[in-house]
């Protein structure tokens, strides 16, 4: 059977994973083959996930792996990301999400190495919620890491992984990627503010107001796209 005759499952989502993998590299959110991305197709209960250990510059749509909710490979010859376990666990725990972006972005990871959460140092932390929580350390790819992420993320859109990196979730790839990008900015601001003094945090009442504004902004954004 010739390759070009094969109609790939989740072709559009596979291509998005290729595109956003490149975006992740170009925006400096990760390097080499670090981090990973996935998209859930709720309609057919399939997940497209980036392959393990292939440089984002070299990944093609055919390299993206399609698995079922149990993690069994349905289509694709590559090995799925070593973090498939926590992607599956997140889709089960969070019925409101259909995309996951995992990065090793430098400032977020720096704070994760200190085992700090990111507080409301800047209103843009609302991309996650009123803070970015921290998941305790566990070996990459382990069931324990998946458990720690689920226990820590709650209803937030981002979570730091101790001594590891960041996970961002959302309703589409654009919003998950935005969360990863904006939280990296907030992490950098927090790092810099901390190195000069004691940052003044945005209070809880104001963060509630901002989070509400973000929700309505998001809806407006969606209706125009
Ligand atoms: Zn990682």
């Amino acid at each position: 059977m010739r390759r070009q005759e094969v109609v790939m499952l989740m072709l559009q989502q596979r291509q998005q994973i290729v595109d956003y993998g490149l975006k992740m590299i170009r925006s400096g959110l990760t390097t080499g083959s670090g981090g990973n991305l996935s998209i859930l197709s709720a309609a057919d209960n399939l997940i497209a996930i980036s392959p393990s250990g292939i440089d984002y510059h070299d990944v093609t749509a055919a390299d993206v792996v399609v698995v079922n909710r149990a993690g069994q490979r349905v289509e694709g010859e590559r090995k799925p990301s070593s973090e498939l376990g926590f992607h599956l666990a997140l889709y089960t725990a969070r019925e409101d999400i259909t995309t996951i972006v995992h990065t090793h972005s430098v400032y977020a990871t720096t704070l994760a190495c200190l085992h700090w959460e990111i507080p409301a140092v800047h209103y843009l932390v609302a991309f996650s919620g009123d803070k970015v929580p921290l998941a305790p350390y566990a070996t990459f790819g382990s069931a324990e890491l998946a458990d720690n992420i689920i226990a820590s993320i709650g209803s937030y859109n981002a979570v730091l992984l101790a001594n590891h990196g960041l996970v961002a979730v959302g309703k589409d790839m654009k919003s998950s990627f935005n969360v990863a990008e904006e939280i990296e900015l907030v992490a950098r601001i927090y790092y810099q503010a901390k190195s000069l003094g004691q940052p003044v945090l945005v209070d809880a009442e104001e963060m509630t107001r901002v989070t509400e504004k973000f929700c309505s902004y998001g809806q407006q954004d969606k209706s125009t796209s």
Side-chain angles (χ1 to χ4, degrees), residues 30 34-36 82-83 86 102-104 140-141 145 161 164-167:
T30 205
N36 36 69
S82 53
E83 298 294 11
F86 80 60
H102 166 51
T103 73
H104 299 158
F140 77 94
L145 179 61
L161 314 188
H164 184 157
L166 175 81
V167 170

Side-chain angles (χ1 to χ4, degrees), residues 54-75:
I54 304 178
D55 195 299
Y56 288 105
H57 293 106
D58 301 327
V59 173
T60 65
D63 293 320
V64 175
V65 187
V66 175
V67 300
N68 62 21
R69 299 290 292 245
Q72 293 156 327
R73 193 162 46 185
V74 173
E75 197 176 72

Side-chain angles (χ1 to χ4, degrees), residues 12 16 44 57-58 61 69 75 96 100 122-123 134 197 210:
Q12 196 191 343
Q16 261 203 322
D44 45 16
H57 293 106
D58 301 327
R69 299 290 292 245
E75 197 176 72
D96 60 318
I100 299 169
H122 188 289
Y123 79 89
L134 172 83
V210 171

Side-chain angles (χ1 to χ4, degrees), residues 89-166:
L90 272 166
Y91 289 127
T92 301
R94 287 282 300 270
E95 290 181 357
D96 60 318
I97 66 160
T98 54
T99 52
I100 299 169
V101 171
H102 166 51
T103 73
H104 299 158
S105 57
V106 174
Y107 287 93
T109 305
T110 300
L111 301 177
C113 289
L114 292 163
H115 291 200
W116 291 359
E117 296 185 329
I118 305 177
V121 65
H122 188 289
Y123 79 89
L124 287 174
V125 81
F127 272 90
S128 166
D130 60 0
K131 67 171 185 177
V132 182
L134 172 83
Y137 180 79
T139 311
F140 77 94
S142 66
E144 190 188 355
L145 179 61
D147 291 346
N148 292 351
I149 289 170
I150 301 307
S152 308
I153 195 168
S155 60
Y156 289 93
N157 290 328
V159 62
L160 294 173
L161 314 188
N163 310 92
H164 184 157
L166 175 81

